[in-house]
């Protein structure tokens, strides 16, 4: 079984299409979508439509999906995120808002060995950045392989033999620790924040016991023009080319 792992699309249609084209060549059997379909980008409706046609798929919601759907107040967001969430809420059709509001909360099990969450298995909105968070997440996870998003930064936490820690250099392909837990973030499709502006996704191959971490170039200028022309904050366009 090969899982296509995508997260944090953030209404970036150009990035999503580039990732799906690349993933079609790499090959996969089942899609795992870890939340944040919308928010920040200028194409929330088309990105929801494209995402919901992927099958078979297991999907969960992200914090931006909740806020854009109107399930939670945008007041805890920073100014730019709040402005984008309010714009997204106004722009989407009632059908699209319903689709977003109905996305399930993580964590969700993908038997027999995988679990997906947006932030962390113990709290869908928690950011996993360091070993302390990772340790807590591994303890809370009920599956050997736990996939998470939310930070927009690829990361691997594992317990091969001794203490676990983040990989400083993210490899193209990583052999999963035999029998041991692994906590994996494949990065963000629509708004990478690791200073590499290319769209990020992963392919988890349970037969080979590897995770492939893919980066894909896409038409950043087109996504930026859509953001500017939609009247969204200019920073949302600028950060795409900076990868932050
Ligand atoms: Zn996100």
């Amino acid at each position: 079984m090969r899982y296509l792992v995508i997260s944090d699309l953030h209404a970036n249609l150009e990035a999503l299409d580039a990732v799906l084209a690349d993933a079609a060549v790499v090959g996969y059997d089942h899609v795992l979508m870890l939340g944040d379909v919308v928010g920040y980008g200028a194409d929330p409706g088309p990105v929801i439509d494209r995402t919901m046609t992927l099958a078979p798929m297991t999907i969960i919601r992200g914090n931006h999906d909740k806020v854009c759907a109107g399930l939670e107040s945008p007041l805890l967001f920073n100014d730019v995120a709040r402005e984008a969430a309010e714009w997204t809420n106004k722009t989407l059709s009632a059908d699209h808002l319903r689709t977003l509001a109905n996305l399930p909360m993580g964590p969700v099990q993908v038997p027999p060995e995988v679990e997906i969450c947006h932030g962390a298995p113990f709290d869908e909105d928690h950011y996993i950045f360091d070993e302390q968070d990772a340790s807590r997440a591994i303890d809370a996870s009920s599956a050997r392989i736990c996939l998470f998003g939310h930070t927009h930064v690829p990361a691997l936490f594992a317990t091969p033999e001794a203490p676990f820690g983040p990989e400083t250099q993210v490899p193209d392909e990583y052999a999963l620790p035999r029998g041991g837990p692994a906590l994996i973030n494949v990065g963000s499709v629509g708004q990478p924040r690791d200073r590499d502006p290319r769209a990020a996704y992963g392919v988890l191959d349970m037969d080979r016991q590897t995770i492939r971490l893919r980066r894909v170039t896409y038409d950043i200028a087109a996504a930026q023009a859509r953001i500017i022309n939609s009247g969204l904050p200019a920073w949302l366009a600028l950060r795409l080319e900076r990868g932050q």
Side-chain angles (χ1 to χ4, degrees):
M1 174 64 81
R2 293 163 305 167
Y3 294 105
L4 167 61
V5 186
I6 53 175
S7 188
D8 299 279
L9 315 182
H10 285 293
N12 187 335
L13 188 61
E14 287 78 11
L16 177 59
D17 279 346
V19 161
L20 293 178
D22 189 72
V25 176
V26 173
Y28 59 90
D29 307 298
H30 187 110
V31 179
L32 303 175
M33 164 52 194
L34 312 188
D36 279 359
V37 185
V38 301
Y40 297 134
D43 285 297
V47 168
I48 292 172
D49 290 340
R50 195 79 97 249
T51 302
M52 298 314 285
T53 61
L54 299 172
M57 172 173 68
T58 308
I59 184 169
I60 53 173
R61 69 187 186 184
N63 54 321
H64 286 260
D65 301 323
K66 279 190 291 185
V67 172
C68 292
L71 295 178
E72 263 183 17
S73 162
L75 289 177
L76 288 179
F77 274 179
N78 64 44
D79 289 351
V80 166
R82 186 172 64 238
E83 198 179 320
E86 287 166 352
W87 178 91
T88 303
N89 181 268
K90 274 193 220 110
T91 301
L92 286 174
S93 68
D95 270 0
H96 282 137
L97 290 173
R98 208 171 303 122
T99 300
L100 275 188
N102 288 332
L103 293 177
M105 177 171 76
V108 164
Q109 305 301 316
V110 186
E113 283 193 294
V114 179
E115 174 179 85
I116 62 172
C117 59
H118 183 64
F122 52 84
D123 177 352
E124 61 176 342
D125 294 338
H126 190 89
Y127 291 90
I128 298 174
F129 276 120
D130 57 25
E131 292 181 20
Q132 205 178 349
D133 292 325
S135 167
R136 215 180 139 196
I138 286 172
D139 286 347
S141 175
S142 46
R144 181 168 76 92
I145 312 294
C146 180
L147 302 167
F148 71 103
H150 199 31
T151 64
H152 300 206
V153 176
L156 296 156
F157 299 90
T159 55
E161 280 139 34
F164 47 83
E167 295 285 329
T168 47
Q169 194 78 25
V170 176
D172 295 336
E173 187 164 22
Y174 182 78
L176 301 174
R178 286 185 176 275
L183 182 67
I184 304 165
N185 187 325
V186 299
S188 166
V189 170
Q191 193 194 78
R193 294 182 191 160
D194 59 346
R195 311 220 169 240
D196 180 344
R198 294 175 299 167
Y201 79 97
V203 176
L204 174 64
D205 189 325
M206 295 305 287
D207 300 323
R208 297 182 57 230
Q209 288 289 298
T210 59
I211 178 88
R212 291 179 74 175
L213 297 149
R214 304 279 297 172
R215 297 308 283 253
V216 183
T217 54
Y218 72 96
D219 192 345
I220 293 176
Q224 290 176 310
R226 296 277 302 127
I227 286 171
I228 298 297
N229 293 336
S230 301
L232 285 159
W235 165 241
L236 294 176
L238 186 59
R239 70 188 304 177
L240 291 183
E241 72 185 50
R242 294 187 179 173
Q244 77 179 80

